[in-house]
Amino acid sequence: MSMHHRRGQAVFGVVAAVHLISLGCVTGDHGGVLKCAGAGGAPPTTLAKFTLNSPVDFYDGYNMPVSIFPTGGSGECKVVTCVSDLNRNCLKELQVLRNGCVAACNSACMAFNKPEYCWTGAYSTPETCKPTDFSKVLKVSCPTSYSYAYDNLTSTFTCKGANYVIRFC
């Protein structure tokens, strides 16, 4: 599935991708409702933000590949894509299983709810917030995606006046 975004059209909030099996969501729905009336899907979900300079991020986990292809524009107009399906590389302790198969991959914050994985408390500054073993696995699969709170150098791109093709698959 692809979604096109054209210059001059505003896209606010997030695009939450979902797996559909037998017309029901495995992950990423909003309390059993597919159309969330503007609210984001329940994690784990792949999240692509288009709110002024926001990257694709995996703070909320991952449930399917999303790629963003800018055309035209000026600035850092880079393709954002995963080189492999993170569900296939998801560490066991982060896996969300459905019928014995990995349907999604939780973030370490969702799985363990500890400050060092949620980048809170003593881990909330650029000096103390560092990549974890879990975020490093994500970065191997999705090198241009945001994998932890201060992952700006390889994951934040400013592209102005571009058209976009957004591909879910």
Side-chain angles (χ1 to χ4, degrees):
M1 171 181 6
S2 291
M3 179 187 336
H4 296 273
H5 174 261
R6 299 183 196 282
R7 273 182 236 130
Q9 293 179 336
V11 176
F12 299 100
V14 300
V15 178
V18 297
H19 283 257
L20 297 175
I21 296 179
S22 301
L23 301 177
C25 296
V26 174
T27 64
D29 67 351
H30 189 74
V33 178
L34 181 58
K35 294 185 179 181
C36 302
T45 56
T46 301
L47 187 65
K49 294 182 182 181
F50 289 88
T51 53
L52 301 177
N53 305 330
S54 293
V56 173
D57 83 45
F58 292 102
Y59 282 164
D60 294 325
Y62 172 97
N63 65 342
M64 70 181 298
V66 60
S67 299
I68 302 170
F69 301 93
T71 57
S74 62
E76 272 190 291
C77 298
K78 294 185 178 182
V79 171
V80 176
T81 190
C82 294
V83 296
S84 62
D85 184 351
L86 186 58
N87 284 339
R88 294 183 183 182
N89 300 324
C90 186
L91 298 172
K92 185 173 182 152
E93 47 279 35
L94 302 180
Q95 293 177 355
V96 175
L97 300 175
R98 173 77 180 248
N99 298 325
C101 297
V102 178
C105 190
N106 271 317
S107 67
C109 179
M110 291 290 301
F112 308 118
N113 195 26
K114 291 185 176 183
E116 62 266 33
Y117 300 126
C118 298
W119 305 293
T120 58
Y123 299 91
S124 63
T125 69
E127 295 76 34
T128 59
C129 173
K130 301 297 178 194
T132 67
D133 290 341
F134 299 107
S135 68
K136 289 175 184 176
V137 169
L138 163 74
K139 204 63 169 174
V140 168
S141 288
C142 304
T144 53
S145 295
Y146 217 63
S147 63
Y148 71 100
Y150 294 97
D151 191 12
N152 296 325
L153 292 177
T154 61
S155 308
T156 302
F157 311 110
T158 303
C159 180
K160 297 178 182 176
N163 292 315
Y164 297 92
V165 173
I166 303 167
R167 185 177 66 204
F168 298 94
C169 61

